[in-house]
Each structure stands twice: as structure tokens, then as C-alpha cells.
Amino acid sequence: MRAGRPPGTGRTLRVTTRNASFQQWSALLTNRGKRQRAGEFLVQGVRPITVAMERGWPVHALLHPDGVPLSRWARDLLDRAGGTRVAVAPDLLHELGGKDDDLPELVAVAGLPPDRLDRIPVGPDALVVVFDRPTAPGNIGTLVRSADAFGAAGLVVVGHAADPYDPRAVRASTGSLFAVPVVRAGSHRDVLDWVAALRGQGLPVQVLGTDEDGEVEIAEHDLTGPTVLLVGNETAGLSAAWRQSCDRMLRIPIAGSASSLNAATAGTVALYEAARQRRARPGSPG
């Protein structure tokens, strides 16, 4: 069996040794290049797998422990799976599950989506988050989760950065990775060209940076229109190129002995403020 090429709906295969398929799945755990070349990544956990299936994500294979009784949840998903069903030796599946103690009931092999900015729906209320060169996969997953919770249209990960399809990012998103478009962009210029095209179509997109030394407090700036909200790298903040491209730099006021906020936390606060302002607009449903 070759991983990533489901031979047919409903077919069940078995993997009992460290064969080529298992080695490929194992590489998807740690090797970004292998994920990219295979066009696949692993999904671990009940909620992420459930949301991926509910959202119609391309699931190439569902792996389950061979000879182990499964819950109704797992049986139902296996019955609905359109890709290959694979019974894997429990000790091997444990290695793919991402937890030290528990044997997973299911691990999904999902297809990577294309990195196209036009996957992000835009309109008069569009709110898009851009994460500049994040280094921690967990921060990407957390920010995707916040983007989902506060109504953002999508998240763009820019530059040399951690991978949103790293299992740590997928787990931290708790399924939101499959509900909110996440796109990887090579540089800030790719995003700015996209913004320029939207402006050319008559959409007045504002590009706003976040920084502890921003010129205005975030609550004092209007976030109700189409907005691209920038969150900087965990250590260095926004790049100089991004700072020069912002329409305005916003700050989140903090107190106490903390010198700054975690990048994903700062992004979450900014997303909450945007959602709060939008709910407070006259005529808004919230």
C-alpha cells in the first residue's frame, strides 16, 4: 500500500510492520518537507478528526488499531470515510498518536490544501489575521482557534515560519484549522499584492500592525471595516518591511510586571476587540 493514494472507498488494509506506508506516516509527524512532498499531514485527536470530517476535508486514510474494540464515534467515522481504512498494529499506531500514554482510536491522514490567498473569503466585513514568521507551531494553532472563535475570515502565515500542519499546530487549533482557511505566504509582498488587488476592486482594506509601542490603543481605532490584522514574530515582533507597510500601528495596553504578551495571546486580544466593535455597531445582530 502507498500512503496518500486511497485505492478505493470502503477498502480496509492492514499494516503490522514498519513498512513503507508506516515510515511515510511517521515522517509526516516531524518532517515538513515530507509533508509538502506527500501533500499530506496527520490529524490526531477526537475533535480535530471530527471537524475535518464534518467540514468535508480530504481525508485520504483513517488509521485504527488492529484487533481493538472501537467506540461508536470511531466506528461511525470509519463507516463514513471515503478514503482508505487501515488497521494498524497497536504499538505502531501509538507512535503516530501524539500522546505518551493513550492508544488513539483513530489517526487521520489528510490532504494539504493549496496555499492560495483566494481561499480566504473577503467582503465588506472581512477580518484577516497575518502571523509574521511565527516560530512555535502551538502559537499558530492557538491563533487559528482564536480566529475561528472571533469570526476572522482566515489566517495567513508569512515568511520562514513554523508549519501550520505540524501536529502540534493541528492539535492546538482543536479542529479550527479545518474551519478557517489557513494559507502560507512566502513574503509580506505576496500579501500586500493581494491587498492591493482587493483595493483595486473597491474594497477599502486597512492593514494594521500590533506592537507594544503602537501609536494608538487598539480600542480607539475603528476595526469594523475590512481589515488585515498583523501579529509579529514571538521574539522580534513585526519585520521592518511590515511596519513600513502598515496604515497604522496599534498597541494593547498592559499593566503589572509583564513586559509583553505572548504573540498568540496578543492576536487573540486584538481579534476580541475587533469582534466587540463589530457587535456594537448599530444594526449588528450581536
Side-chain angles (χ1 to χ4, degrees):
M1 171 192 169
R2 181 178 178 180
R5 295 200 176 177
T9 301
R11 182 176 178 183
T12 299
L13 300 172
R14 281 183 167 76
V15 171
T16 58
T17 63
R18 298 177 183 276
N19 63 7
S21 294
F22 175 80
Q23 291 176 32
Q24 180 166 325
W25 295 327
S26 182
L28 299 180
L29 287 172
T30 57
N31 192 311
R32 178 179 187 153
K34 292 283 182 66
R35 288 193 289 268
Q36 197 62 33
R37 286 192 292 274
E40 295 178 331
F41 64 107
L42 292 187
V43 185
Q44 306 154 330
V46 172
R47 180 164 177 76
I49 294 173
T50 300
V51 177
M53 296 286 288
E54 289 175 347
R55 295 283 177 153
W57 203 272
V59 174
H60 298 169
L62 274 179
L63 319 180
H64 65 92
D66 193 14
V68 175
L70 300 176
S71 68
R72 177 175 293 181
W73 166 79
R75 295 196 307 270
D76 287 347
L77 287 193
L78 285 168
D79 288 342
R80 290 162 43 199
T84 306
R85 298 177 300 199
V86 188
V88 180
D91 60 324
L92 299 181
L93 190 63
H94 184 271
E95 294 182 28
L96 302 177
K99 291 186 177 181
D100 293 335
D101 301 324
D102 298 333
L103 174 67
E105 286 197 288
L106 295 177
V107 172
V109 183
L112 287 175
D115 285 311
R116 295 198 320 261
L117 287 164
D118 61 9
R119 288 180 52 227
I120 299 175
V122 292
D125 295 326
L127 176 62
V128 179
V129 187
V130 172
F131 206 167
D132 180 28
R133 299 163 298 135
T135 58
N139 277 338
I140 297 176
T142 298
L143 196 52
V144 173
R145 185 177 180 180
S146 297
D148 188 14
F150 294 119
L155 182 140
V156 184
V157 178
V158 177
H160 184 69
D163 186 5
Y165 304 104
D166 183 299
R168 292 168 291 180
V170 178
R171 285 197 302 270
S173 83
T174 64
S176 290
L177 180 73
F178 306 104
V180 175
V182 176
V183 177
R184 296 171 292 186
S187 76
H188 73 289
R189 179 51 56 190
D190 297 325
V191 180
L192 292 175
D193 287 347
W194 177 64
V195 169
L198 294 175
R199 288 171 173 169
Q201 297 166 16
L203 196 66
V205 180
Q206 58 179 343
V207 178
L208 304 175
T210 54
D211 185 83
E212 61 190 42
D213 297 319
E215 61 197 277
V216 63
E217 287 192 14
I218 191 167
E220 297 174 0
H221 186 84
D222 186 356
L223 301 171
T224 60
T227 299
V228 171
L229 184 65
L230 309 177
V231 178
N233 169 273
E234 294 93 336
T235 302
L238 289 172
S239 69
W242 267 125
R243 290 173 183 274
Q244 294 168 7
S245 303
C246 288
D247 298 311
R248 204 163 197 189
M249 294 294 294
L250 309 179
R251 70 177 182 273
I252 298 169
I254 61 173
S257 59
S259 60
S260 63
L261 294 175
N262 166 274
T265 301
T268 298
V269 172
L271 283 164
Y272 170 78
E273 176 59 23
R276 185 196 67 78
Q277 291 186 19
R278 290 162 185 233
R279 287 195 304 269
R281 284 180 302 187
S284 73

